[in-house]
Amino acid sequence: MARILVPGGAGFIGSHTVLALSEAGHDIIVYDDLSNGHADSVLAGTFIEGSILDSAKLDVLFKEQAIDAVIHFAAFIEAGESVKSPMTFYKNNVAGSLTLLQAMAKHNVRNIVFSSTAAVYGQRDDLDLLSEEITKQPINPYGHSKWMVECMLRDMATTGAINAIALRYFNAAGSDPEGRIGERHEPETHLIPLILDAARGKRPNIKIFGTDYATPDGTCIRDYIHVVDLARAHVRAVELLLERPSKTGSYDAMNLGTSQGYSVREVIDAAKQVTGIDFEVIEEGRRPGDPGKLVADASKVAADLNWQAERSDLRTLLEDTWAFRRNLD
Ligand code: UDP
């Protein structure tokens, strides 16, 4: 059993990871400023309200608690918002992570798993599958902010100060299969929750953003990954760091995806089948900044973490999300 600090643990992926950590027997401290998270999503561990920009509070926390590892989710995530307010993103995501890393260094906490994103790769419609080594060309401040933190981790690891694993998520979706927690972004901009809101009559329709992409049906292709699969990967990653500590520092990055993409139309059709509800679909123009295709080469994580997606097939993913979402207000 380890004591794990989880900044951002009240958010979507964080809260599911907290459940998985607790089921694996770990002791958890969730640290979240609730700017986007929900305190009632924290179903295990101790909750402390605070910001990763608050170095004094972090100092007290690390002094009082014997933290073995950090799983760092605390970040703003809306790519579109990041284009409008870049400095807000750089402050929270980059300066906040730096503040957290400084506190870790001061208190000699060496292990960190970091929430990164496929957005570090940018617009790579030329590639079928994205592997970890390709050039990082983020196309928005959100992607840049995550890549900057990865660079910090890599450079700190080079000095021997930390052991880090960055997990680059593709399209996180799904919900706890027991329906205890799920995705609650406000405002919601992600495809699957919006489709299900159209199915349950909370929205009049679902809009397809772009039907002229160079894909078989003209709509964008994404690699959707179930949040429970993501959560399990975090548990594996942190346990790997704890089991095989490097004295000289280490940094590794892994894609978390399935190597399988679905188009927007395929997701909509599958959602109609799962819910049994027909709803209106409207074709619109492209959403600025959307790459046509983002699908992971997920072979590295399978080998390094001995991890496979288990609930990320489209039907299971939609069924789990529907079970949670159909009862939301
Ligand atoms: N999308 C859509 N209609 C919507 C929301 C999203 O057609 O109302 C498309 C979007 O253009 C993208 C895909 O669905 O191609 C996934 O979008 P999402 O915002 O869920 O994730 P992203 O890939 O942008 O991180």
Side-chain angles (χ1 to χ4, degrees):
M1 188 202 75
R3 178 165 296 172
I4 300 170
L5 178 67
V6 188
F12 174 44
I13 305 172
S15 59
H16 286 81
T17 301
V18 165
L19 272 183
L21 286 167
S22 134
E23 279 155 18
H26 297 295
D27 188 14
I28 304 142
I29 299 168
V30 172
Y31 184 79
D32 197 300
D33 67 1
L34 299 182
S35 55
N36 286 307
H38 305 269
D40 61 2
S41 294
V42 181
L43 300 186
T46 305
F47 175 68
I48 297 174
E49 187 171 342
S51 163
I52 49 169
L53 286 157
D54 188 341
S55 55
K57 196 160 192 167
L58 286 172
D59 194 36
V60 173
L61 181 57
F62 279 103
K63 206 176 288 170
E64 288 180 351
Q65 309 280 349
I67 308 281
D68 298 302
V70 176
I71 306 184
H72 172 27
F73 293 100
F76 293 151
I77 60 158
E78 268 313 315
E81 273 305 304
S82 80
V83 177
K84 290 185 214 145
S85 315
M87 299 324 276
T88 312
F89 274 67
Y90 288 124
K91 183 172 180 197
N92 192 50
N93 295 7
V94 181
S97 296
L98 179 63
T99 308
L100 175 66
L101 285 165
Q102 284 172 320
M104 287 176 63
K106 181 172 173 191
H107 295 277
N108 213 14
V109 176
R110 295 174 54 82
N111 301 309
I112 179 164
V113 175
F114 175 61
S115 260
S116 191
T117 167
V120 301
Y121 301 123
Q123 189 114 18
R124 294 307 300 269
D125 294 359
D126 54 318
L127 297 174
D128 265 352
L129 298 178
L130 306 183
S131 66
E132 285 83 357
E133 314 79 57
I134 63 169
T135 318
K136 313 306 175 291
Q137 302 169 332
I139 55 167
N140 51 51
Y142 166 65
H144 277 293
S145 74
K146 288 286 176 175
W147 177 236
M148 285 179 189
V149 178
E150 282 205 41
C151 293
M152 285 196 234
L153 296 173
R154 182 197 60 199
D155 295 343
M156 280 182 72
T158 304
T159 71
I162 59 169
N163 299 321
I165 296 178
L167 296 175
R168 296 183 187 143
Y169 317 145
F170 281 66
N171 284 61
S175 293
D176 169 50
E178 291 174 40
R180 293 169 290 183
I181 45 176
E183 189 165 8
R184 286 191 283 163
H185 295 124
E186 281 156 27
E188 188 54 75
T189 62
H190 292 113
L191 180 67
I192 290 178
L194 291 179
I195 291 175
L196 296 180
D197 282 354
R200 69 195 183 109
K202 287 279 173 186
R203 302 173 62 82
N205 51 52
I206 183 74
K207 298 186 169 70
I208 299 183
F209 297 147
T211 54
D212 59 348
Y213 285 94
T215 58
D217 68 16
T219 67
C220 288
I221 293 177
R222 294 288 182 274
D223 183 342
Y224 296 91
I225 174 152
H226 198 299
V227 66
V228 165
D229 286 332
L230 286 179
R232 272 193 309 109
H234 287 78
V235 177
R236 287 274 166 90
V238 79
E239 287 178 348
L240 187 74
L241 291 177
L242 292 163
E243 281 159 19
R244 291 194 226 148
S246 160
K247 292 200 172 60
T248 53
S250 67
Y251 160 77
D252 208 355
M254 295 169 205
N255 287 337
L256 280 185
T258 66
S259 304
Q260 161 82 53
Y262 294 103
S263 74
V264 174
R265 275 193 219 281
E266 285 175 316
V267 179
I268 292 172
D269 290 346
K272 286 187 176 180
Q273 281 184 9
V274 164
T275 61
I277 300 169
D278 196 13
F279 45 86
E280 190 186 9
V281 179
I282 296 180
E283 295 185 4
E284 296 234 324
R286 293 183 179 198
R287 187 170 68 176
D290 272 346
K293 185 173 176 191
L294 279 178
V295 181
D297 173 344
S299 51
K300 184 169 194 282
V301 67
D304 291 3
L305 294 188
N306 188 23
W307 171 96
Q308 297 284 350
E310 288 172 4
R311 296 193 76 84
S312 297
D313 63 280
L314 196 49
R315 194 172 180 94
T316 309
L317 197 147
L318 286 167
E319 281 169 356
D320 286 353
T321 316
W322 183 233
F324 172 77
R325 197 150 193 98
R326 65 187 309 175
N327 298 318
L328 263 190
D329 287 342

